Amino acid sequence: MISIARRRLLRLGRLAGAAALAGGKAAQAIAALTLPTTATIPAKSDRVYRIFMVLGRGEGANETGFKDYLARRGMNVQYVVRNMGGDTSKLPGLIEEIRAMRPDLIYTWGTPQTRGLVGTYDDPQPSRFIRDIPVVFTFVADPLDAMIVRSLEKPGGSVTGTIHIAPLAAQVNTILSYRAIRRLGVVYNPAERNSVLAVRDLRAEWRKRGLELIEVPAPLSNGKPNAADIPGLIERCKAQGAEMLYLGPDTFMAGINRKLVSDTALALKLPTFSVTELIVRSERAMFALSSSSYGIGRFTGVKAAQILLEGKAPGEIPIETLRRFSVVINMATVKELSFYPPIGLLNFAEVVGL
C-alpha cells in the first residue's frame, strides 16, 4: 500500500479539484483511484477475536464495511459495541471497562472518541488513557492536528487508522463548481476540536480566494451544545447572507443531529454541502464530496487485519485515506430548492433521491 502523507493529500486535492471543475477526463482520473490492494486472504482460523467498538452515532455503513472485511478474511470476531451518542463524559467509564475486558483490538469512530480513549501523544498523564491495546480509528479528519499521532507514515504507539475527508482544496473547488457563491456559512460545535480545526482551515482556504466565511459557533451550556439551538443558529447563518451551508466533520451537526440540520436548512431554502455522505444519502442535505463510508470501513478493516492476523505493530502501519472521492447529489433536495448543478458536474456525480 502507498502511504498518504500531507504532500499526497495535497496532490489528491488538486486532482479532485480539477475533476470537479472540468469533468470529463479529469473526472475519469479521480474515478480510477481505488482501494489499495489487500493481502491474500488466509484460511479460516478457529481463534475468536474480541473487538471493542466505541462509536459516536450508532452503527452505520462504516461498521458494516469493517465487519464485512474481517469476515471475508475468515476471522471469527466477537464485537462489543458501545455508542457514545456524542456524550464524551462516558469515556472514563468505558476506559475502565476496556481495561477489565482486555479486548484484542479497539475500533473508534470519530475524533472525540479517539482522543478521549488514547489521549494526545504529549499528554503529561498517559496513564489516564489506553496505551497498551491496539487502537484502529476511523472518521478522524486530521489525526495530526488533533495530536493523536505525530506522523501519518509512522504513527507510533498503539494507534493507526484511516482518514475519510477529501482535501480542503478539493472541497472548495467542488462547492464553487456547483455554484460560484461568495458567502459560505458554517454552524459548528466549538467544544469539538475536530470542528474547530476544520473551520480554521476552511477559513484560510475560503478567504484565500477573496470570499467570505460566515461562522456561527453553537453556544455551550456546561461545556456542551444544545440541539434545540440548531434551527436558530442556521437561521442566523442565512440572515447574515450565507448562500450555502458547509457541514464539516462535526459529530454534533452532521452526525447526531443530521436530520434536524438538513430539515432546517431545507425549510430555510439554504443549500447544503457536506464532507460526509450519510447526511446526503439518508437525510436531505444537497450534495457532498466524500469517500464511501462502506469503503472506509473496509479499509479500516485492512488495518485491523494487519494487526490481528499479520502481527504488525499499530504504530508502524501508515494512516491513509482511500484514493477515491465521489460527488453525491440528492436530486430530491435539488428539485425542492430549484438549485440545479451544472451538467459538467452531473457527468460524474452519483445521483440519489430520484
Side-chain angles (χ1 to χ4, degrees):
M1 277 180 261
I2 302 173
S3 66
I4 307 291
R6 283 186 178 276
R7 61 183 180 275
R8 179 159 176 76
L9 289 173
L10 290 172
R11 184 170 71 82
L12 287 174
R14 290 193 293 271
L15 282 172
L21 287 170
K25 293 182 179 178
Q28 293 168 13
I30 291 299
L33 299 174
T34 56
L35 182 70
T37 303
T38 59
T40 302
I41 298 174
K44 184 176 177 63
S45 169
D46 290 333
R47 177 175 173 179
V48 177
Y49 296 91
R50 182 178 291 182
I51 296 180
F52 198 105
M53 306 184 84
V54 181
L55 310 181
R57 47 84 180 109
E59 292 194 56
N62 225 79
E63 289 67 48
T64 300
F66 180 80
K67 292 179 178 180
D68 283 356
Y69 179 81
L70 296 186
R72 183 169 174 265
R73 291 295 300 264
M75 297 176 64
N76 186 0
V77 180
Q78 177 187 11
Y79 293 98
V80 178
V81 181
R82 298 289 182 266
N83 180 28
M84 302 291 296
D87 185 1
T88 54
S89 67
K90 298 176 181 177
L91 282 168
L94 279 185
I95 288 174
E96 292 306 312
E97 184 181 2
I98 290 168
R99 283 179 172 152
M101 184 178 295
R102 302 296 303 174
D104 297 293
L105 183 132
I106 303 167
Y107 166 105
T108 63
W109 184 97
T111 302
Q113 287 72 232
T114 304
R115 270 174 56 103
L117 281 174
V118 305
T120 59
Y121 54 74
D122 63 348
D123 193 282
Q125 295 179 289
S127 61
R128 296 186 301 137
F129 304 103
I130 300 294
R131 298 290 178 90
D132 58 347
I133 299 173
V135 175
V136 175
F137 63 73
T138 188
F139 268 66
V140 173
D142 196 333
L144 291 177
D145 278 346
M147 299 178 69
I148 293 170
V149 296
R150 295 179 185 273
S151 165
L152 296 181
E153 300 222 10
K154 287 194 173 182
S158 61
V159 183
T160 189
T162 55
I163 299 171
H164 66 293
I165 300 295
L168 191 56
Q171 297 175 33
V172 171
N173 285 340
T174 302
I175 291 170
L176 295 176
S177 72
Y178 195 109
R179 192 67 56 90
I181 65 171
R182 293 198 59 80
R183 296 182 181 88
L184 182 68
V186 56
V187 178
Y188 67 97
N189 176 10
E192 191 172 329
R193 179 177 172 84
N194 208 52
S195 303
V196 174
L197 295 172
V199 172
R200 179 202 66 186
D201 294 343
L202 177 63
R203 181 190 307 126
E205 182 69 28
W206 195 254
R207 289 181 178 176
K208 184 170 69 176
R209 301 171 190 239
L211 305 173
E212 181 182 354
L213 183 66
I214 298 167
E215 303 174 31
V216 180
L220 301 178
S221 176
N222 296 321
K224 298 178 183 179
N226 188 336
D229 293 329
I230 288 175
L233 296 171
I234 296 175
E235 187 172 2
R236 186 194 312 171
C237 198
K238 183 172 183 182
Q240 291 179 18
E243 301 167 79
M244 186 177 291
L245 184 66
Y246 177 90
L247 302 173
D250 187 311
T251 303
F252 175 71
M253 290 292 293
I256 300 166
N257 296 298
R258 61 184 181 272
K259 186 177 190 309
L260 177 59
V261 169
S262 61
D263 286 353
T264 300
L266 188 57
L268 292 169
K269 301 297 182 183
L270 184 61
T272 43
F273 169 84
S274 176
V275 301
T276 55
E277 64 175 6
L278 180 61
I279 195 169
V280 176
R281 292 186 183 277
S282 68
E283 308 301 339
R284 300 199 287 174
M286 190 178 76
F287 79 125
L289 177 69
S290 65
S291 295
S292 156
S293 295
Y294 181 85
I296 284 288
R298 287 186 65 242
F299 197 18
T300 309
V302 171
K303 307 295 183 183
Q306 287 178 317
I307 296 167
L308 297 175
L309 293 181
E310 301 170 28
K312 292 185 178 181
E316 296 297 315
I317 300 173
I319 295 169
E320 303 172 278
T321 185
L322 286 178
R323 291 173 283 161
R324 179 172 182 168
F325 301 100
S326 301
V327 176
V328 183
I329 299 175
N330 188 321
M331 194 54 69
T333 300
V334 166
K335 291 176 181 177
E336 189 163 342
L337 292 170
S338 295
F339 203 85
Y340 293 92
I343 295 298
L345 198 61
L346 281 175
N347 281 341
F348 62 91
E350 179 184 356
V351 176
V352 298
L354 290 176

